[in-house]
Amino acid sequence: MCLSAAGQQHRAPATPLVTNDPFFSLWSMGDKLTDVPVKHWTEVAQPMLGLIRIDGTTYRWMGTMPRGYFGMPAVEAMQQVSVEVTPLHSKYRFTAGGLELGVTFFTPLFPKDLDVMSRPVTYLSWSARSIDGKQHQADLMLDVDPLIAVDQPRQQVTWSRSRAPGLTLLNVGSRDQQTLHQSGDRVRIDWGYFRLAVPDSALATTSMAYSGVPTFVTSGNLPDTDDSSMPLPAAGRERAAHLSTRLPLGLIGASRVERHVELAYTEGYAIEYLGRRLRPYWQRNGMTEAVMLATAEKEYAQLEERGERFDADTTAQMEKIGGPDYRYLTSLLFRQTIAAHKLVADVDGTPMFFSKENDSNGCIDTVDVTYPSSPFFLLFNPKLLEAQLEPLMRYAALPRWRFPFAPHDLGTYPLANGQVYGGGEENEEDQMPVEESGNLIIMVAALERREENWEFAKRYMPQLKQWADYLEKKGMDPENQLSTDDFAGHLAHNTNLSIKAIEALGAFVQIARGVGDTELADRYERIVSRLPEQWEKMAIDGDHYKLAFDQPGTWSQKYNLVWDDLLDLHLFPKRVMNTEWDFYSRQMKQYGLPLDNRKTITKLDWEVWTASLASKPEQFQDLIHRLVVWADETPSRTPTTDFYDTVSGKEIAFQARSVVGGVFIKALMHANTKN
């Protein structure tokens, strides 16, 4: 069971372990850390095995060992007592042989510290103490499979050891090192190097040999020599060396004995944007891998202290805003939100933050993925939202983007060389004209309000005005178009999409005033002021509002209304959402609120947006509680999906996506009210 920060017992769909970016993203997809192999978010095993030898008996605290592994008998798993998920930490507690072992994965994703956030480093730390009043001799062992550095098991790898100040580095990577040679969705990186960084202060021994685990189990030591035949396949009959370290804990009594290592992945060039290759943000001034890892080691203690303080402050704030269930949900999804992105630097050092549309189509910098995740970044650091919008707006300003509406994406991760979705740059087929135009106008307005200046909007005013013109013509009663819920197919006269267009036109009034164009602002204010009344007359269907203007007897979540208060637009009367919520209360299923009347499927992000529009606190709490019960009980053991069935609880599609940042909308509304 998973212990939330508020103290309740919960069971995460998957527990985040290493959460740095879409390629370096490792999870435990079982109840216990010893139930299943460590896996990449794509569900492909990238095993790390953790062992501890206590008074001559070996136990397992992470990963699995198949029966007959190296001809050895099974190694007993330690008893997992608890796991706690906080915004920046996953903390396990185990017992065996008279010892208690704490195992913590800490990724310092501080949203306002881009230098630290962009480092591809997760700290794995241990804390051991005796719990039976006796002293015990103990040694830890960590073994990393070379599968962590390749896309496919048969790819050839090489390995090496090197030094950084205060660290021994064990490195593994593909033989071929074809940088940025492929793009796609459920793929793993196969250029760059995984690095296990072991501090000198640990007095550890290290090994690069295939036989590290059986040697430790049988003798308590590691192989004396490294495997030297390379390259070899990462998996198969002939196998490459594993990276192993043995960390002596000595004689352990009641006082805690602590150790830690760094888990890192460095890739040189990380993103290709409009034909130019960009390096990770931490490398923008020429910092080397060795210096970065040494700096991370030097700063470990103070970063850990900052991380604990950040977790305590954030979880307390979330509980104050939304209660214990909201506190747990936001803790569970914090790292997932950031880890679906890569922070790089443009040639002039400008930060660019590229999302990956995980488990959908692999698109990079998708506008309708940024839109639902934007509350997270608006709340914690608006500069990170600007860093997502900047490459999109630059692209939209190029002559090659010849449509009167906004683009959908920049390509397929990690290649951001131009839109690939729908008709791409060729035609309007399967585009999202109203959706993406509305999304970008709303996000730019929200960004500038949070930053309290309008410089970004001023730079891209021609594009924003063009999209506002398009929404004036096409937004009130949308044609047969896709919306962000494109999995539901095309829908004409979409009432929720119409709301988005109206809110975007209201947001454009604010943008025009912000950049000093009063005449343009007045013109659009006159246009938008009459639209909500028109919408209400067209959408009303007795005790609720329709899914589509021309479809009586239908309904849908009107989550786009959330911006009416967030942007202080106040275009729609409160009775619209009050009427909707009275109706929603009668449509609830065991695991939440369906997206609309057509099926029992739903979207996690939109549910929280809808919950945040409830006028009665008990309505918000009821829906959020259903979402937490779903997360506890879903049979789909993957990094939390945003697309599931409200009756069965099963994932329909999508996992490990950044859109779950939308759950922070309630906190953003609270922050907006305070401001």
Side-chain angles (χ1 to χ4, degrees), residues 336 604 630 638-644 651-656 660:
Q336 178 174 321
L604 176 64
W630 162 74
T638 61
T640 307
T641 183
D642 54 282
F643 183 26
Y644 67 95
E651 173 185 318
I652 304 299
F654 309 158
Q655 60 199 44
V660 297

Side-chain angles (χ1 to χ4, degrees), residues 60 112 203 253 294 312 361 459-460 486 518 552 578 670:
R60 185 165 40 88
K112 289 188 176 178
L203 303 177
N361 62 4
R459 292 206 307 274
Y460 296 109
D486 54 352
T518 303
N578 291 341
H670 179 78

Side-chain angles (χ1 to χ4, degrees), residues 34-105:
T34 51
D35 281 352
V36 292
V38 172
K39 296 179 181 179
H40 188 260
W41 73 258
T42 56
E43 301 170 77
V44 170
Q46 294 189 323
M48 295 193 295
L49 183 64
L51 303 174
I52 185 170
R53 191 174 175 90
I54 305 172
D55 299 328
T57 301
T58 304
Y59 301 90
R60 185 165 40 88
W61 51 265
M62 179 170 64
T64 59
M65 295 176 65
R67 183 179 298 275
Y69 185 75
F70 277 96
M72 296 184 300
V75 173
E76 181 183 351
M78 300 185 80
Q79 180 181 356
Q80 183 173 304
V81 178
S82 66
V83 55
E84 178 184 4
V85 178
T86 60
L88 301 182
H89 294 82
S90 293
K91 301 178 179 180
Y92 290 87
R93 190 159 57 92
F94 301 92
T95 58
L99 287 186
E100 178 187 81
L101 179 68
V103 178
T104 299
F105 293 85

